[in-house]
């Protein structure tokens, strides 16, 4: 009896000591060590890949997209369609992006894809104006028409074949911060006109903010829209 009680006490004591030691190691020492290493070696990534403007103010993250829309006519109307602010480079369409404010702060709504197939709403295997409303094809056709109308200027007309896929479709997450160089170049004339800049200035801006493939072979060339718009804002104020 005494031996049984003594053994039980020893086992409980050993269990409590193990709990205390593992709590200190796993709950205190390890998190502090990982946090310290991350802050020392990968400070930018550990803090959310923040992007700051020239004043040092955090305006977003290089990993999360933002939208650039005009203020609503009626802030209380949840059904009012967003109207893009055409003086800025626009990201790819997405229901996951929140409205962007004047100071470029961002507000996320949700993240996710439509899960619709590529031929959802297709007529005869193609996306046409006859696509049923609410289908992916109908959205793509409407988005393409809007892209052509928004980016055509007095001296430059956007052709339907010039519109890249990322200009009319969202990414899987709905929060992609990048657009293709083709979509960025498509917007150059409109951005130059809206901001009263020379086209060559805006072309250089896009070229300077185009990132190539990772390690030269992984992924695709891309342009971070937030970084590009921060540079555009600085250019318009210079």
């Amino acid at each position: 009896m005494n031996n049984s009680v003594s053994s039980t006490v020893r086992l409980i004591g050993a269990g409590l000591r193990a709990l205390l030691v593992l709590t200190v190691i796993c709950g205190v020492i390890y998190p502090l060590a990982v946090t310290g290493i991350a802050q020392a070696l990968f400070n930018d990534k550990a803090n959310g890949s923040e992007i700051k403007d020239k004043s040092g103010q955090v305006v977003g993250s290089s990993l999360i997209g933002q939208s650039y829309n005009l203020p609503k006519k009626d802030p209380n109307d949840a059904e009012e369609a967003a109207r893009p602010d055409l003086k800025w480079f626009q990201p790819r369409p997405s229901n996951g992006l929140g409205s962007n404010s004047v100071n470029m702060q961002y507000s996320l709504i949700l993240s996710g894809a439509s899960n619709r197939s590529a031929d959802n709403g297709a007529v005869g295997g193609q996306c046409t104006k006859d696509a049923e409303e609410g289908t992916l094809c109908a959205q793509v056709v409407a988005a393409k028409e809007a892209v052509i109308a928004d980016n055509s200027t007095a001296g430059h007309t956007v052709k339907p074949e010039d519109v890249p896929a990322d200009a009319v479709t969202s990414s899987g997450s709905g929060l992609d911060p990048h657009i293709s160089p083709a979509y960025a170049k498509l917007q150059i004339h409109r951005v130059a006109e809206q901001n009263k800049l020379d086209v060559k200035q805006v072309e250089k801006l896009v070229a300077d903010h185009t990132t190539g493939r990772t390690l030269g072979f992984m992924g695709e060339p891309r342009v971070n829209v937030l970084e590009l718009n921060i540079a555009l804002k600085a250019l318009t104020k210079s």
Side-chain angles (χ1 to χ4, degrees):
M1 179 71 177
N2 290 335
N3 288 338
S4 177
V5 172
S6 178
S7 297
T8 302
V9 171
R10 284 198 302 272
L11 288 173
I12 293 174
L16 290 174
R17 289 195 297 273
L19 175 62
L20 178 61
V21 170
L22 290 174
T23 298
V24 172
I25 293 175
C26 299
V28 180
I29 296 176
Y30 177 74
L32 287 176
V34 171
T35 301
I37 293 171
Q39 290 294 333
L41 301 180
F42 312 102
N43 181 266
D44 175 61
K45 292 181 175 60
N47 290 318
S49 300
E50 296 174 339
I51 295 180
K52 299 179 180 179
D53 59 17
K54 285 191 173 182
S55 67
Q57 180 183 5
V58 176
V59 294
S61 168
S62 63
L63 304 176
I64 299 176
Q66 300 185 18
S67 59
Y68 298 83
N69 296 327
L70 293 168
K72 284 187 173 184
K73 294 179 180 179
D74 181 2
N76 298 318
D77 184 3
E79 300 299 323
E80 182 182 336
R83 295 171 298 135
D85 189 343
L86 298 180
K87 71 179 181 180
W88 302 110
F89 283 93
Q90 294 295 315
R92 61 190 302 177
S94 174
N95 292 328
L97 301 183
S99 298
N100 190 61
S101 61
V102 175
N103 64 358
M104 293 188 179
Q105 295 296 328
Y106 57 93
S107 173
L108 300 182
I109 298 175
L110 53 88
S111 173
S114 68
N115 290 327
R116 295 190 177 100
S117 63
D119 62 351
N120 176 243
V123 178
Q126 294 184 333
C127 287
T128 68
K129 292 183 178 180
D130 297 326
E132 183 181 348
E133 186 177 354
T135 62
L136 179 62
C137 277
Q139 292 175 4
V140 167
V141 170
K144 191 170 187 177
E145 291 176 347
V147 167
I148 293 171
D150 288 345
N151 290 283
S152 294
T153 63
H156 177 77
T157 301
V158 175
K159 301 176 182 178
E161 59 267 26
D162 294 335
V163 180
D166 63 310
V168 296
T169 57
S170 65
S171 64
S173 69
L175 301 175
D176 195 342
H178 299 101
I179 57 175
S180 66
Y183 187 26
K185 291 175 182 176
L186 181 145
Q187 302 183 61
I188 286 175
H189 285 82
R190 182 253 301 161
V191 170
E193 181 181 78
Q194 291 284 327
N195 292 281
K196 296 180 173 53
L197 296 171
D198 186 79
V199 170
K200 294 292 184 183
Q201 288 179 291
V202 185
E203 286 178 343
K204 183 178 185 304
L205 205 63
V206 170
D208 290 344
H209 288 82
T210 299
T211 304
R213 291 180 172 87
T214 303
L215 300 179
F217 68 93
M218 291 192 296
E220 294 293 332
R222 57 202 180 276
V223 179
N224 187 289
V225 181
L226 175 56
E227 293 177 352
L228 181 60
N229 278 333
I230 290 173
L232 173 63
K233 184 177 181 180
L235 180 62
T236 58
K237 288 187 175 182
S238 61

